[in-house]
Amino acid sequence: MSDQYKILVVYYTRSGTTRRIAEMLALELGADIEPVRETEKHALRKGVRGYLRSLVDILWRRPVDVMPPIHRLQDYDAVVVGSPVWAGFASAPVETWLKHNGACVRHIAFFCTLRKRGSDSAFDQMGEASGKFAIATCAFDASDLRRGYDGTLRAKFEAQICRRLDTLLAMECAA
Ligand SMILES: Cc1cc2nc3c(=O)[nH]c(=O)nc-3n(C[C@H](O)[C@H](O)[C@H](O)COP(=O)(O)O)c2cc1C
């Protein structure tokens, strides 16, 4: 879809939903993809204990350790970052990743997956953590996924990313 742009999709997932959306976006955008990797064992977030730990991490803003990106962020026109919503916030690993790497990203877009509520506050937090305004955002809730509406949402999100990149990169070339 976006052969003229170099795009990287970065995502964190605890239970697979955000990864599924990230993989479809990467395929449709012709983008590279990589997960946010925690340095501690991922299994620590599995099950009920993992759920509670995730909740406490985000509510108490406990520091989490994430590994540096595999891809060179400066090589991309845009990085699309995806997170599950945790208690109305983006997940702790994504918040940390954005704080560490936001400054290296040229243009950024955000998506989140959630059960029902909290996408707006999560996007605000992601913007704050990265220090960047998002060129596009998209929330995929459980009912969108159940009804099979996520394809339509993805198409709108991808079109918005490409439109904004058209404008921004043309302006940057002209400057
Ligand atoms: C700790 C925790 C807190 C959550 N808080 C919310 C919430 O505030 N609002 C919401 O709609 N969904 C919430 N959820 C549900 C997840 O956002 C949703 O299931 C998401 O799609 C999971 O993504 P994943 O499978 O990629 O981990 C929460 C899930 C977890 C684990």
Side-chain angles (χ1 to χ4, degrees):
M1 181 179 180
S2 66
D3 288 346
Q4 71 265 49
Y5 306 123
K6 241 177 118 42
I7 298 178
L8 174 67
V9 176
V10 173
Y11 68 93
Y12 175 78
T13 193
R14 178 180 162 270
S15 50
T17 311
T18 314
R19 179 177 53 237
R20 282 197 292 280
I21 300 286
E23 285 172 350
M24 291 306 293
L25 286 170
L27 192 72
E28 290 160 358
L29 284 165
D32 293 328
I33 184 167
E34 71 169 80
V36 173
R37 297 160 302 141
E38 288 191 89
T39 49
E40 290 177 67
K41 281 191 194 125
H42 192 247
L44 289 175
R45 296 198 185 277
K46 290 253 155 63
V48 177
R49 283 170 70 113
Y51 178 96
L52 292 174
R53 180 169 171 262
S54 302
L55 204 54
V56 169
D57 281 351
I58 196 63
L59 288 176
W60 293 4
R61 290 300 199 275
R62 283 206 307 211
V64 303
D65 286 330
V66 299
M67 295 190 200
I70 299 164
H71 293 84
R72 230 177 79 91
L73 302 179
Q74 295 88 335
D75 291 346
Y76 291 88
D77 296 314
V79 178
V80 179
V81 181
S83 176
V85 170
W86 288 356
F89 297 100
S91 61
V94 164
E95 182 178 52
T96 302
W97 191 96
L98 288 169
K99 281 182 179 162
H100 290 180
N101 299 297
C104 302
V105 170
R106 278 177 80 189
H107 299 293
I108 203 158
F110 301 137
F111 73 96
C112 65
T113 71
L114 68 163
R115 213 168 22 236
K116 199 165 185 177
R117 283 199 193 87
S119 53
D120 288 346
S121 47
F123 290 144
D124 287 348
Q125 172 212 5
M126 290 167 88
E128 218 168 282
S130 64
K132 293 230 155 45
F133 286 107
I135 60 170
T137 61
C138 189
F140 299 86
D141 70 27
S143 96
D144 295 326
L145 299 176
R146 219 176 18 250
R147 289 181 297 142
Y149 187 60
D150 53 302
T152 307
L153 290 176
R154 284 199 317 272
K156 281 187 190 170
F157 183 46
E158 291 157 3
Q160 194 184 357
I161 291 170
C162 292
R163 261 198 322 273
R164 295 300 305 276
L165 283 179
D166 275 343
T167 311
L168 287 164
L169 299 187
M171 280 165 54
E172 286 167 13
C173 274

